[in-house]
């Protein structure tokens, strides 16, 4: 008997009709003779609504109480889902994260799963029940309710699948799979049949919202195939796995982008031994997330240091640098906002030189100025003017031959 883990995201359980539709899918897997565990998110945008309520009361709500509050969203869905299944004559039971044995670090709002005690899950599965588990939540050793970070239900599903040694884990969502780029922005975006863990991890970290990065990390560590598919239509999804056999010839598999980027340049910073650590420790201590960093010598003992960050963090970063002007000893600070980061991702880059060169050529052919660059083995990111972001995406999508050629196949 195969063990199947499925996860339905918020939009796939957004109302009662959708919950019933999701229940039909659960029923189908159960009736096919599988042992089924289904993880669900909170209904629709209900987590956002809970966050909003908290923010109406406090600017910095207590983190423990936030977990207490946000974990209620998923509990609504598990009980309704079980009721829907029972109406269909399926024996099912709902479990909160802690009832399902999900143990986490003692960290509120962004806890990592440390272990899963599968005893209770196994008992119910052994009795032939379908088990519906609340995503996004667990419990610390001291018995505190924790949550796994926004979008964390994916991670719950993958962790349970790994713990139960399931065949695969299906993530049902409101899109039909993983695309070469967000189809709302890239006109020619195309659904991928498969993508490797590393590529998916880069894309997820670069902001492709379709999967929680930690879920991809987990799947990779346990070599668990992840399938992203639509909860609305019966079409083939995208499989995230180690060996991507199809479309192997693609050097670049996907594109990610992010607007509202600002570049700050600290001018003529004295080139002391600890200069870089002084600047970036200062920012890190205030929780400012810095992305690309460029250091450039401007004289014997002086350098310019540029870095990019989210525009939202600009005022705080400027204030910190200005307050520490004397200690850091720089001459001036400049910043440039209305920038965007566009990245190309693909495992094929490792063995194909010239990918970055092609990227720069294509951008310069379209008079798109590159302000900053960063690379990893399987990614090149450029910072460009935000006004040119859409053009840059289109140009790169076609330069690396990602444009749509065929529609995904319908399987049922
Ligand atoms: N409900 C949580 C959120 O919106 C977790 C999830 O949906 O994955 O972030
Ligand atoms: Mg999600």
């Amino acid at each position: 008997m195969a063990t199947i883990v499925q996860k339905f995201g918020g939009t796939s359980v957004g109302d009662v009709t959708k919950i019933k539709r999701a229940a039909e899918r659960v029923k189908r897997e159960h009736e096919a003779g599988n042992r089924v565990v289904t993880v669900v998110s909170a209904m629709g945008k209900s987590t956002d609504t809970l966050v909003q309520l908290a923010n109406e009361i406090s600017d910095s709500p207590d983190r423990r109480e936030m977990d207490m509050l946000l974990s209620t969203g998923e509990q609504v869905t598990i009980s309704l889902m079980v009721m829907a299944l029972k109406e269909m004559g399926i024996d099912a039971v709902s479990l909160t994260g802690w009832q399902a044995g999900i143990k986490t670090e003692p960290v509120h709002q962004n806890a990592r799963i440390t272990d899963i005690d599968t005893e209770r899950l196994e008992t119910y599965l052994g009795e032939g029940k379908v088990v519906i588990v609340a995503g996004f939540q667990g419990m610390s050793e001291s018995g505190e309710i924790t949550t796994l970070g926004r979008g964390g239900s994916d991670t719950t599903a993958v962790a349970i699948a790994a713990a139960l040694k399931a065949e695969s884990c299906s993530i049902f969502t409101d899109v039909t799979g993983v695309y070469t780029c967000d189809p709302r922005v890239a006109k020619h975006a195309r659904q991928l049949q498969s993508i490797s863990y590393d590529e998916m991890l880069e894309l997820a970290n670069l902001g492709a919202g379709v999967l929680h990065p930690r879920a991809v990390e987990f799947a990779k560590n346990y070599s668990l195939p992840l399938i992203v598919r639509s909860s609305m239509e019966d079409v083939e999804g995208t499989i995230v796995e180690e060996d991507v056999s199809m479309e192997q010839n693609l050097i670049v598999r996907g594109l990610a982008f992010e607007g509202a980027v600002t570049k700050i340049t600290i001018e003529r910073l004295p080139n002391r031994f600890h200069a870089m650590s002084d600047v970036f420790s200062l920012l890190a201590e205030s929780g400012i997330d810095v992305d690309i960093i460029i250091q450039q010598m401007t004289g014997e003992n002086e350098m310019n240091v540029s870095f990019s960050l989210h525009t939202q963090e600009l005022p705080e970063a400027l204030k910190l640098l200005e307050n520490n002007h004397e200690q850091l000893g720089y001459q001036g600070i400049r910043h440039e906002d209305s920038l965007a980061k566009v990245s190309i991702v693909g495992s094929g880059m490792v063995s194909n030189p010239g990918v970055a060169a092609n990227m720069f050529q294509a951008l310069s052919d379209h008079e798109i100025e590159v302000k900053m660059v960063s690379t990893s083995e399987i990614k090149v990111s450029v910072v460009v003017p935000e006004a040119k972001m859409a053009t840059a995406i289109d140009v790169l999508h076609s330069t690396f031959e990602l444009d749509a050629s065929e529609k995904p196949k319908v399987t049922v």
Side-chain angles (χ1 to χ4, degrees), residues 49-62 65-66 69:
T49 310
L50 294 172
V51 171
Q52 209 178 319
L53 285 176
N55 289 339
E56 280 173 31
I57 291 179
S58 167
D59 287 339
S60 52
D62 186 88
E65 301 310 324
M66 275 310 270
L69 176 68

Side-chain angles (χ1 to χ4, degrees), residues 240-281:
V240 188
E241 58 187 348
E242 193 60 65
D243 287 319
V244 178
S245 47
M246 280 167 281
E247 304 165 290
Q248 193 88 46
N249 51 349
L250 280 182
I251 293 171
V252 172
R253 203 171 303 270
L255 245 79
F257 58 88
E258 179 192 326
V261 171
T262 290
K263 174 184 173 183
I264 295 184
T265 303
I266 305 173
E267 292 176 314
R268 300 178 58 196
L269 185 68
N271 185 20
R272 293 186 285 231
F273 208 54
H274 46 80
M276 293 294 272
S277 83
D278 285 351
V279 169
F280 291 101
S281 306

Side-chain angles (χ1 to χ4, degrees), residues 7 9-10 41 150-154 171 173 209-212:
K7 178 251 168 181
S41 289
R150 297 302 306 270
S153 294
D154 293 345
I171 307 286
T173 177
V210 66
L211 284 176
H212 196 235

Side-chain angles (χ1 to χ4, degrees), residues 115-156:
D115 188 26
I116 300 185
D117 176 354
T118 57
E119 201 183 319
R120 196 156 174 183
L121 286 167
E122 292 283 8
T123 304
Y124 287 131
L125 290 171
E127 291 168 4
K129 288 186 166 66
V130 167
V131 188
I132 309 294
V133 180
F136 172 59
Q137 51 178 255
M139 189 176 270
S140 69
E141 216 169 316
S142 61
E144 294 291 336
I145 295 176
T146 53
T147 60
L148 311 180
R150 297 302 306 270
S153 294
D154 293 345
T155 305
T156 305

Side-chain angles (χ1 to χ4, degrees), residues 359-368:
M359 183 184 200
F360 299 142
Q361 182 70 52
L363 294 170
S364 82
D365 286 350
H366 290 80
E367 292 173 357
I368 300 171

Side-chain angles (χ1 to χ4, degrees), residues 33-143:
N34 298 306
R35 302 187 334 144
V36 185
V37 177
T38 302
V39 173
V40 289
S41 289
M43 291 172 70
K45 301 244 173 276
S46 60
T47 308
D48 290 336
T49 310
L50 294 172
V51 171
Q52 209 178 319
L53 285 176
N55 289 339
E56 280 173 31
I57 291 179
S58 167
D59 287 339
S60 52
D62 186 88
R63 297 175 76 87
R64 177 187 187 275
E65 301 310 324
M66 275 310 270
D67 279 354
M68 194 61 90
L69 176 68
L70 297 194
S71 61
T72 61
E74 272 68 15
Q75 284 193 54
V76 172
T77 326
I78 53 173
S79 46
L80 293 175
M81 181 68 110
V82 170
M83 290 176 198
L85 285 162
K86 293 208 162 185
E87 284 301 311
M88 294 170 185
I90 304 287
D91 193 9
V93 59
S94 65
L95 295 178
T96 60
W98 44 101
Q99 287 177 321
I102 298 178
K103 310 228 160 80
T104 75
E105 304 169 327
V107 172
H108 286 296
Q109 296 192 277
N110 200 17
R112 283 174 184 269
I113 296 177
T114 50
D115 188 26
I116 300 185
D117 176 354
T118 57
E119 201 183 319
R120 196 156 174 183
L121 286 167
E122 292 283 8
T123 304
Y124 287 131
L125 290 171
E127 291 168 4
K129 288 186 166 66
V130 167
V131 188
I132 309 294
V133 180
F136 172 59
Q137 51 178 255
M139 189 176 270
S140 69
E141 216 169 316
S142 61

